[in-house]
Amino acid sequence: MNRVAIVTGAARGIGAATVDALVNDGFRVVAVDRCRDLTDIAYPMATPAELDAVVARHGDAVLGLVGDVRSAADMSLAVETASRHFGRLDAVVACAGVIAGGVPLWEMTDESWDAVWSVNVLGTRRLIEAAVPIMLQNTDRSHGRVVAVASAAGQMGLRHLAAYSAAKHAVIGMIRGVSMDLAETGITANAVCPGSTRTPILDASAKIYGLQSVEAFAEQMPIGRLLEPSEPAAMIAWLCSPASSAATGGVFAVDGGMTVN
């Protein structure tokens, strides 16, 4: 069976690496990204050229789609596109996320708070609510998978990143609840919590903390190095595979030991 997935935040970072991993596992993928900047986020979002590059390296196995995860209409279009173009939908991966902070919570603007919560939390909800009703229509639902990318920040507190940490805690709580909503259907739902990974969000985090290089974050990692996007992507791909059929409601740390202590 040719399985089909939707990945959001797919133009770069962990999202792009997840598209690669899923294609290598035999999936066909609708790769979704906003591909334009957000007013209240200080660093640039992915570009159309970056999304095109992800599509180009996989040929007919990947279809690119520009869409905003916060839009119910855009997520419905992604689901419709997967069903129409590839014939079905088996898995969805909510990778889209942004970070903002650099000040205590009481000094953060409402606009920055709303941007972090709308992309990370509402964006995850929009994908799930668009996709699950279609996945429930599959005759064989035993391969149905929902995966959300949270963060090590979703299991700990980080200085001057209260909004981001709270949003990622919320993603974990959402996935745990959804896993129980789906428990008897055969569809699983899990969260992946990466540690410091070489992505644009880590670059933005370095600026928030006034660091000269992202390499400084390796000091937080017991394994002594940063993660590559392919490492959390490998866990995501496993959670989308038949081998993960008994894993649901799980919170899978791929953080080099960052949250052990």
Side-chain angles (χ1 to χ4, degrees), residues 36-252:
R36 62 187 187 277
D37 290 345
L38 283 163
T39 303
D40 298 298
I41 297 299
Y43 60 95
M45 299 293 101
T47 65
E50 288 175 305
L51 181 59
D52 289 345
V54 173
V55 174
R57 64 177 174 255
H58 295 299
D60 293 341
V62 176
L63 179 67
L65 182 67
V66 174
D68 190 326
V69 293
R70 302 172 301 176
S71 165
D74 284 3
M75 292 303 95
S76 293
L77 177 61
V79 170
E80 179 187 344
T81 300
S83 299
R84 184 179 66 249
H85 191 80
F86 292 127
R88 58 183 293 119
L89 179 62
D90 301 282
V92 291
V93 183
C95 280
V98 297
I99 196 168
V103 295
L105 179 65
W106 53 92
E107 296 179 11
M108 190 171 192
T109 67
D110 287 348
E111 291 78 12
S112 292
W113 171 276
D114 290 346
V116 170
W117 270 71
S118 64
V119 175
N120 291 288
V121 184
L122 178 62
T124 301
R125 174 194 166 187
R126 291 294 188 221
L127 178 61
I128 291 170
E129 69 186 6
V132 167
I134 300 304
M135 294 165 68
L136 287 169
Q137 294 176 16
N138 290 340
T139 303
D140 179 5
R141 297 192 297 239
S142 64
H143 296 295
R145 303 288 185 263
V146 174
V147 182
V149 177
S151 169
Q155 298 184 290
M156 58 194 300
L158 297 177
R159 184 172 181 265
H160 289 177
L161 286 175
Y164 182 72
S165 182
K168 291 304 189 180
H169 274 77
V171 169
I172 290 171
M174 187 190 313
I175 286 295
R176 283 175 164 160
V178 167
S179 74
M180 293 299 95
D181 291 340
L182 291 170
E184 297 177 356
T185 70
I187 300 171
T188 65
N190 293 283
V192 174
C193 291
S196 295
T197 308
R198 293 185 191 279
T199 65
I201 279 184
L202 195 65
D203 295 336
S205 299
K207 291 179 181 178
I208 285 171
Y209 289 119
L211 302 175
Q212 295 297 313
S213 169
V214 296
E215 297 303 326
F217 288 116
E219 296 176 6
Q220 301 175 340
M221 308 281 280
I223 62 173
R225 64 171 178 83
L226 301 179
L227 303 179
E228 299 300 327
S230 60
E231 293 177 298
M235 175 61 78
I236 294 166
W238 180 78
L239 287 170
C240 289
S241 76
S244 69
S245 56
T248 197
V251 181
F252 293 84

